[in-house]
Amino acid sequence: MKIFSAKQIYEADKATIKKNNISSNELMEGAAVQLFNWLHLRIQGGPVKIHLFCGIGNNGGDGIALARHLQEHGYNIAVYVVNYSKKRSDDFLVNLDRLKDRKIWPEFLEENSVLPEIGREDIVVDAIFGIGLNRAPDSWVVNLFEHIQKSEAFVLSVDIPSGLFTDKVPKDEKAVIKANHTLSFQVPKLVFFLPETGIFTQQWEVLDIGLDPEFLANTETYYELIGKNEMLPVYIPREKFSHKGTHGHGLIVGGSYGKIGSVNLASKACLETGSGLVTAYVPKCGYIPLQTNFPEAMVLTDADEKYITNIEFDINPTVIGIGVGLGKDQSTVKALDEFLSKNKKPLVIDADALNILSENKSLLKKIPAQSVLTPHPKELERLIGKWKDDFDKLDKAKKFSKQYDCILVIKGSHTITIYDEKGYVNTTGNPGMGTAGTGDVLTGMITGLITQSYSPLNAAVFGVYLHGRAGDIAVDKTGYQALTATNVINDIGSAFIDLFAQPESRPEVNENEAPPE
Ligand SMILES: NC(=O)C1=CN([C@@H]2O[C@H](COP(=O)(O)OP(=O)(O)OC[C@H]3O[C@@H](n4cnc5c(N)ncnc54)[C@H](OP(=O)(O)O)[C@@H]3O)[C@@H](O)[C@H]2O)[C@@H](O)CC1
Ligand SMILES: [K+]
């Protein structure tokens, strides 16, 4: 699903109005009906008190129009206009008049107004600011936000939590409403997925308000949300006459004394993801543990007992995943330098190999084009430098990816893969996966996909998706706390199978046929 900028959403708005030959108010009315249907389906006419806080722009207009529908269906409502500016939008005014026609008189809240009482069991509809927010809200409006928050009522935000910008991080956390649920018009917003701004809504959902599908399909966006629908076309089916020789050969280079387990995890993940063959290249101390624990793997060893000191082999791997458990011994740094100078194979680079690159930036010029780098936040900081906020981080990551022609996988609760000016925002995974070795598993999975002829970018995006999905399937059996990297590996197969699972649905009755007796 594409993630549009605020500017593009306004353009979609205009394109829809023109193409469908409707007024902007009709578009707003459609949005309000969708909001109403959402609430009505859940509350089913219940007596719960609904407080609608509406601004004076089109977000407020949505709220006012929703209030009219709620009142028509007998809901217990209170409507407030948060009068933060005199510049009321036309569609807000039209809807305010329609409300007054029905003898509903909103309460106007100003700087010194007494704030209404809100019960814990009530519902708050937040339609104060939408995507038109362009400066921090005034302090009295922030006080209102705090008042709403203190009530502990369920907060439903219209389009976006009020006070949240679409393109920058707010300076003051209190100046944004914390929503329980946000109903985003037609498309998700990038801010729902960034660590510093995603905290303002617990859940989000898109409401289809009928924006022009052609415009949405033909407009390129800088970010895309990655779910099953985006990954299905990427999947490469197995051919009947294929064999292990055609499924590629992944080589995992890594490990040091006490960190051989990481190579075990990455190699297993590589094979489970579908690589035909996998070889692990480890210091001598890794030989017995790997051969014992993982009979499917082939093992090559360095001359040194504890560290990798020279990366040389006489096999012909399709792709090399390098860095897990590697350590940063001087002899390893030298070995990596020499290896990068002569290597021509595609690379997936992780962990200490990334740290060595950060400390020896000249080595970055030696990585092959379209190498996949998979840093966690600290490793990323070492690579691209400190960032001011999440948006600055994305800008810096894009610049870095362009400079070194590499695919940058920014690991996090919503991992974002950056390449060619574009960001792919992952939707799978869970907090249980913040545990030792899951990063090694991801490295192995991306390596395993490249062995099977996935392009490095597709391998990175698909690998991240499958990794999270495997973690989601595993966590249902283990719970968050007990989830381990091995559990994730064990459910890689289920994650593939899940790609083709049909959503559960009620058996459909064909209207032309008589229902079964
Ligand atoms: N696009 C779509 O598809 C559809 C969109 N719809 C809805 O429209 C919403 C966007 O509406 P909007 O453009 O009127 O802006 P909104 O967020 O209501 O703000 C109002 C005005 O406040 C001002 N302002 C800004 N910051 C301020 C501050 N700190 N303190 C005080 N004032 C401040 C600023 O005006 P300014 O003063 O800068 O001239 C701004 O224009 C969108 O989120 C969705 O809910 C739907 O109706 C259907 C289809
Ligand atoms: K809002």
Side-chain angles (χ1 to χ4, degrees):
M1 194 186 278
K2 291 176 181 178
I3 299 176
F4 290 80
S5 66
K7 186 166 166 268
Q8 289 174 318
I9 297 172
Y10 282 121
E11 283 164 12
D13 191 2
K14 276 202 201 101
T16 310
I17 289 169
K18 192 167 169 209
K19 188 163 173 191
N20 298 354
N21 199 15
I22 55 171
S23 66
S24 59
N25 198 258
E26 281 170 294
L27 190 63
M28 183 178 280
E29 187 62 14
V33 168
Q34 291 299 326
L35 292 170
F36 170 75
N37 288 343
W38 191 94
L39 270 168
H40 191 45
L41 190 71
R42 282 155 187 84
I43 315 178
Q44 307 258 331
V48 57
K49 175 104 185 193
I50 306 174
H51 303 263
L52 297 110
F53 290 89
C54 308
I56 49 70
N58 285 350
N59 195 253
D62 294 332
I64 297 276
L66 168 64
R68 168 166 40 84
H69 290 287
L70 289 169
Q71 192 264 350
E72 278 170 6
H73 286 78
Y75 280 99
N76 179 10
I77 61 168
V79 191
Y80 316 94
V81 171
V82 186
N83 222 0
Y84 53 72
S85 162
K86 299 225 168 346
K87 286 202 290 187
R88 299 167 170 186
S89 78
D90 293 345
D91 291 330
F92 165 85
L93 286 170
V94 170
N95 279 293
L96 188 63
D97 284 345
R98 284 191 188 164
L99 198 67
K100 288 178 179 167
D101 288 347
R102 286 168 176 75
K103 308 274 177 277
I104 306 167
W105 310 105
E107 192 180 322
F108 283 75
L109 301 178
E110 314 268 349
E111 180 148 14
N112 294 315
S113 302
V114 177
L115 298 177
E117 245 179 67
I118 309 168
R120 272 185 72 174
E121 310 300 323
D122 299 351
I123 292 178
V124 167
V125 171
D126 152 38
I128 302 171
F129 292 110
I131 59 172
L133 183 85
N134 52 27
R135 53 196 184 274
D138 290 343
S139 59
W140 72 269
V141 180
V142 176
N143 284 343
L144 170 65
F145 291 175
E146 287 188 279
H147 176 75
I148 292 173
Q149 229 77 74
K150 269 196 208 124
S151 74
E152 293 182 33
F154 180 90
V155 177
L156 179 70
S157 285
V158 173
D159 205 23
I160 188 167
S162 292
L164 187 55
F165 298 100
T166 54
D167 58 356
K168 62 180 177 194
V169 176
K171 288 212 171 70
D172 177 9
E173 261 194 38
K174 291 197 191 106
V176 186
I177 283 218
K178 283 208 168 76
N180 295 88
H181 206 100
T182 298
L183 296 174
S184 184
F185 288 143
Q186 197 90 20
V187 289
K189 321 257 183 303
L190 180 62
V191 281
F192 298 163
F193 310 103
L194 306 181
E196 289 172 331
T197 52
I199 51 172
F200 295 107
T201 185
Q202 280 170 15
Q203 299 202 37
W204 62 272
E205 199 175 320
V206 291
L207 283 190
D208 185 344
I209 58 165
L211 293 180
D212 179 25
E214 204 180 318
F215 179 91
L216 298 179
N218 295 338
T219 305
E220 276 293 319
T221 60
Y222 284 118
Y223 291 92
E224 194 176 342
L225 196 64
I226 300 297
K228 194 189 275 193
N229 288 342
E230 287 69 30
M231 290 297 94
L232 272 170
V234 165
Y235 173 78
I236 303 176
R238 280 269 153 124
E239 284 176 22
K240 184 175 170 186
F241 293 105
S242 63
H243 52 83
K244 72 178 177 201
T246 52
H247 300 149
H249 184 173
L251 173 64
I252 303 293
V253 178
S256 52
Y257 186 79
K259 289 186 181 166
I260 297 300
S262 55
V263 183
N264 196 357
L265 291 168
S267 319
K268 269 193 180 147
C270 178
L271 200 71
E272 291 265 349
T273 308
S275 181
L277 299 166
V278 67
T279 299
Y281 188 99
V282 285
K284 272 210 175 89
C285 65
Y287 185 73
I288 292 177
L290 272 165
Q291 290 277 268
T292 319
N293 276 315
F294 186 21
E296 292 88 347
M298 296 175 280
V299 184
L300 295 173
T301 57
D302 192 273
D304 192 80
E305 185 65 28
K306 292 186 172 176
Y307 299 107
I308 285 186
T309 59
N310 182 26
I311 307 168
E312 248 179 305
F313 41 81
D314 57 2
I315 57 171
N316 187 21
T318 326
V319 47
I320 303 168
I322 189 164
V324 297
L326 191 63
K328 294 191 296 175
D329 190 76
Q330 264 317 309
S331 56
T332 309
V333 175
K334 187 163 163 280
L336 185 66
D337 187 351
E338 286 167 3
F339 166 73
L340 289 176
S341 303
K342 61 186 183 218
N343 170 62
K344 300 264 181 303
K345 298 281 179 190
L347 293 184
V348 179
I349 309 175
D350 188 25
D352 277 331
L354 291 175
N355 291 328
I356 293 174
L357 292 179
S358 306
E359 288 166 22
N360 305 271
K361 291 253 160 56
S362 61
L363 295 188
L364 279 165
K365 293 191 198 93
K366 299 185 184 180
I367 63 172
Q370 297 191 32
S371 290
V372 180
L373 277 58
T374 56
H376 61 51
K378 271 285 153 207
E379 289 161 352
L380 182 71
E381 189 181 305
R382 290 178 203 125
L383 273 177
I384 66 173
K386 278 195 190 320
W387 49 81
K388 284 200 295 285
D389 60 33
D390 285 343
F391 287 94
D392 188 36
K393 172 171 74 180
L394 290 170
D395 284 348
K396 287 199 159 77
K398 282 188 180 175
K399 275 195 198 113
F400 182 92
S401 152
K402 193 168 181 184
Q403 185 178 357
Y404 298 106
D405 190 17
C406 64
I407 294 147
L408 204 49
V409 177
I410 306 176
K411 291 192 281 203
S413 106
H414 284 284
T415 293
I416 302 183
T417 302
I418 300 282
Y419 189 62
D420 202 13
E421 303 278 331
K422 210 171 154 171
Y424 303 83
V425 182
N426 189 49
T427 51
T428 57
N430 62 76
M433 296 176 76
T435 178
T438 48
D440 305 329
V441 174
L442 178 64
T443 301
M445 292 180 74
I446 297 173
T447 308
L449 289 171
I450 301 177
T451 64
Q452 298 165 81
S453 321
Y454 285 85
S455 71
L457 176 60
N458 280 350
V461 176
F462 192 29
V464 167
Y465 170 84
L466 284 172
H467 179 252
R469 195 67 198 101
D472 289 343
I473 294 168
V475 85
D476 281 346
K477 293 172 272 189
T478 64
Y480 291 128
Q481 287 74 7
L483 185 74
T484 64
T486 299
N487 297 136
V488 178
I489 294 178
N490 291 342
D491 274 315
I492 293 174
S494 313
F496 273 106
I497 292 168
D498 174 75
L499 275 176
F500 301 96
Q502 297 298 322
E504 280 174 35
S505 62
R506 286 185 298 141
E508 277 173 359
V509 179
N510 187 330
E511 284 175 356
N512 297 323
E513 277 174 30
E517 295 289 318

